[in-house]
């Protein structure tokens, strides 16, 4: 960690780091059957290594990958699900991609598909399919101002070990809503009872951005990940205390606004959780047009229009 | 008014109605001296009629208009201000544009310019320069849920007569901040004292979109208006009542959330005030990912990335 301090715009730009012009030229576009809208972007290096089946039609000239699906499947959904599962299982068995970490993970829905399509969550990154998460910020008002519950991630986590995070966060799996996801994760990660969440939680918006990462030696593969994060607020009484439960969190701190700002500037937060915190500060009137010169640009960038559909039948 | 009911996405699309692809082909781009970033889009029909001076270099092939500024001005700011003033005064005197309404109006700053540049607010629309407004939603919590103070615009207003509106709204003039604008407008339009506003107001974000209107017979000229609206919330006690002051408001209603939703669906709100209301409902957990299928698309579209700079030195 350097001694450099980052501005809020620089923090957002670390997360929304895919250029706004020109970069998509080298990427392959992923199409589902009977759908003219792309649902993902793949790096050529990953296209080369993926153990494709006959279900995928690859056009290297046009840089497109079209899913044909199993011919004798009973529906477009099962055709697509089977095709993805076969290729991904094969890639996991052969240990082709570090991103897959030799593991099967949770199932994940393709946002905006015209019929339900699922694939393994880690694999979605390789296909450049839009990820979907939910983040909950838990805070309490004291005589001395707002305090925010901030966890430090376990050192044993695969991604962002030891970084500060949103109070509760998770990837929305197939078949659950963002709200259901948060209720489940709040119990698993922070021992917060479902009744408390359900009674007082407030959905407050959604953040969208595109992250882009080039392969580093020994690291995960290059990928471009469009992301959708549903954000929620929960104000609690001073006697409510989150407690680590499933080993993903090392411990929870009750931090002042100034302490959170300091940790943000020092890049001590997980990249996208920093953006969630900045959005929280904007909505709560802590970051304002008067104290943040990049206010408009920050808000635009954390709500980036994705080049992929977010609802069925959406034109893009 | 038809009996048709509009969805929230349709309401946002009425406001953010400039296409995401291809439409800018016929428009002229406006450039300031020593700045490679365009600051506005003009319709060819308005370029033809504008009484340009020598200070503007017009290239019909490239469809660009470059401001040279008065050669002997003491600074880039005064050069640009004088050049705009001369052309606009001339257009007002000759009554060329209905948009100008034969009137001088308030001065307005070009957002994101590298040095301060001002021109008359009505004229900014003809140049397609980004407009800047501030909207304040005043609400109160009752035993029976939230109530929102909603004004009906005077029938004598030039734009949107008789429509419902945000509690307080105004165009941010040169030299004032969005917050200063709201404090001034809250006194002028609603008789709300500055002390009340200053103590309890909360800046909660900014909305960005592009409106596009084609000339109608007897109506204002075709124009494309990128817009930046700073939004603020103010929760008040039940005994605080806004009162019309300057004639812009016919009367104020204290409406329930359901009444506001009904009025929105019936298109009874001013176009951009409907978007402000939808954003308010999203931030307050009234419109949620569970009850609004277009949630993500709505949030993206009300935070559209503008093709013009919003801060000095911003790359676009």
């Amino acid at each position: 960690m350097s001694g450099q301090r980052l501005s809020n715009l620089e923090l957002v730009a670390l997360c929304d780091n895919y250029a706004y012009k020109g970069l998509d030229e080298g990427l392959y576009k992923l199409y589902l059957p009977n759908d003219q809208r792309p649902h993902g972007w793949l790096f050529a290096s990953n296209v080369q290594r993926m153990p494709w089946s006959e279900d995928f039609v690859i056009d290297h000239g046009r840089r497109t990958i079209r899913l044909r699906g199993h011919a004798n499947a009973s529906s477009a959904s099962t055709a697509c699900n089977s095709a993805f599962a076969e290729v991904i299982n094969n890639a996991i068995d052969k240990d082709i991609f570090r991103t897959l970490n030799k593991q099967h993970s949770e199932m994940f829905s393709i946002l905006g598909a015209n019929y339900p399509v699922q694939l393994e969550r880690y694999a979605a990154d390789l296909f450049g399919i839009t990820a979907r998460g939910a983040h909950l910020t838990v805070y309490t008002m004291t005589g001395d101002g707002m305090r925010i519950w901030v966890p430090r991630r376990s050192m044993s986590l695969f991604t962002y070990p030891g970084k500060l995070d949103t109070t509760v966060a998770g990837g929305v799996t197939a078949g659950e809503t963002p709200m259901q996801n948060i209720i489940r994760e709040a119990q698993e990660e922070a021992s917060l009872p479902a009744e408390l969440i359900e009674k007082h939680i407030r959905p407050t918006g959604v953040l969208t951005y595109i992250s882009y990462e080039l392969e580093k030696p020994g690291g995960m593969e290059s990928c471009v990940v469009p992301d959708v994060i549903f954000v929620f607020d929960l104000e609690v009484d001073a006697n409510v205390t989150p407690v680590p439960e499933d080993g993903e969190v090392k411990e929870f701190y009750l931090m002042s606004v100034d302490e959170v700002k300091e940790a943000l500037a020092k890049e001590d937060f997980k990249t996208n959780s920093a953006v969630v915190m900045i959005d929280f500060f904007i909505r709560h009137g802590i970051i304002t047009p008067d104290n943040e010169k990049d206010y408009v640009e920050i808000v635009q960038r954390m709500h980036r229009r994705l080049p992929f559909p977010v609802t069925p039948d959406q034109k893009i």
Side-chain angles (χ1 to χ4, degrees), chain A:
Chain A
M1 192 103 34
S2 73
Q4 193 195 2
R5 294 176 62 83
L6 297 188
S7 72
N8 290 319
L9 179 58
E10 286 168 329
L11 287 165
V12 173
L14 279 183
C15 190
D16 181 47
N17 68 343
Y18 186 76
Y20 280 77
K21 279 181 189 168
L23 261 186
D24 69 341
E25 290 159 21
L27 300 170
Y28 283 64
K29 285 183 180 166
L30 176 72
Y31 291 89
L32 299 178
N34 300 315
D35 190 343
Q36 299 307 309
R37 310 164 306 165
H39 285 279
W41 275 332
L42 295 91
F43 271 83
S45 51
N46 297 332
V47 173
Q48 292 294 339
R49 291 153 75 187
M50 189 71 72
W52 299 108
S53 70
E54 296 276 301
D55 296 323
F56 293 86
V57 182
I58 299 169
D59 183 331
H60 292 289
R62 294 188 177 168
R63 294 189 183 259
T64 59
I65 297 168
R66 289 183 186 275
L67 185 44
R68 190 157 39 197
H70 280 62
N72 52 1
S74 61
S75 73
S77 288
T78 53
C80 293
N81 294 348
S82 305
F84 275 119
E86 189 185 339
V87 169
I88 293 164
N89 289 342
N90 211 338
I92 292 172
D93 291 346
K94 293 181 178 161
D95 195 14
I96 299 175
F97 298 105
R98 232 184 107 76
T99 299
L100 296 177
N101 199 23
K102 279 191 267 188
Q103 282 176 13
H104 291 273
S105 60
E106 302 161 318
M107 294 305 284
F108 187 94
S109 291
I110 298 186
L111 193 65
N114 289 335
Y115 35 82
V117 181
Q118 298 181 9
L119 72 165
E120 299 230 13
R121 183 177 156 198
Y122 295 159
D125 284 5
L126 292 172
F127 291 94
I129 289 170
T130 304
R132 188 163 38 152
H135 282 233
L136 169 67
T137 303
V138 180
Y139 65 101
T140 189
M141 299 307 295
T142 74
D144 196 29
M146 178 189 278
R147 293 285 183 280
I148 300 159
W149 282 107
V150 177
R152 190 173 290 284
R153 294 166 67 86
S154 161
M155 290 305 294
S156 63
L157 282 177
F158 190 51
T159 56
Y160 302 97
K163 287 286 187 184
L164 298 178
D165 208 343
T166 315
T167 321
V168 173
V172 179
T173 59
E176 72 181 354
T177 65
M179 177 77 97
Q180 289 165 341
N181 175 262
I182 277 297
I183 291 170
R184 177 169 66 78
E185 297 278 357
Q187 292 178 279
E188 291 175 10
E189 293 181 0
S191 319
L192 293 170
E195 310 79 62
L196 173 79
I197 310 280
E198 282 165 357
K199 192 164 176 191
H200 299 292
I201 196 172
R202 186 157 93 165
T204 51
V206 62
L207 309 179
T208 46
Y209 58 86
I210 307 180
S211 282
Y212 168 86
E213 199 146 0
L214 287 177
E215 187 165 354
K216 297 188 194 79
M220 292 192 278
E221 288 73 24
S222 298
C223 60
V224 47
V225 181
D227 209 352
V228 171
I229 295 187
F230 295 88
V231 290
F232 298 84
D233 285 2
L234 176 67
E235 183 177 348
V236 295
D237 294 335
N239 62 354
V240 173
T241 302
V243 176
E245 171 81 24
D246 64 1
E248 294 199 9
V249 170
K250 183 164 170 276
E251 65 181 307
F252 282 97
Y253 310 115
L254 190 57
M255 294 172 72
S256 70
V257 167
D258 282 345
E259 287 167 336
V260 171
K261 282 185 176 173
E262 185 66 18
L264 285 169
K266 286 180 172 168
E267 228 184 307
D268 199 16
F269 268 86
K270 176 170 179 271
T271 316
N272 65 0
S273 303
V275 178
V276 171
M277 211 64 253
I278 291 167
D279 169 65
F280 179 89
F281 283 164
I282 288 172
R283 289 185 292 98
H284 286 264
I286 293 164
I287 293 176
T288 74
D290 288 344
N291 67 26
E292 174 53 78
K293 73 179 177 56
D294 300 316
Y295 193 82
V296 182
E297 195 180 354
I298 286 169
V299 174
Q300 286 183 353
R301 288 197 61 171
M302 57 170 58
H303 299 101
R304 179 171 187 164
R305 183 171 169 87
L306 302 180
F308 306 117
V310 291
T311 41
D313 302 319
Q314 181 195 353
K315 290 189 185 109
I316 56 159

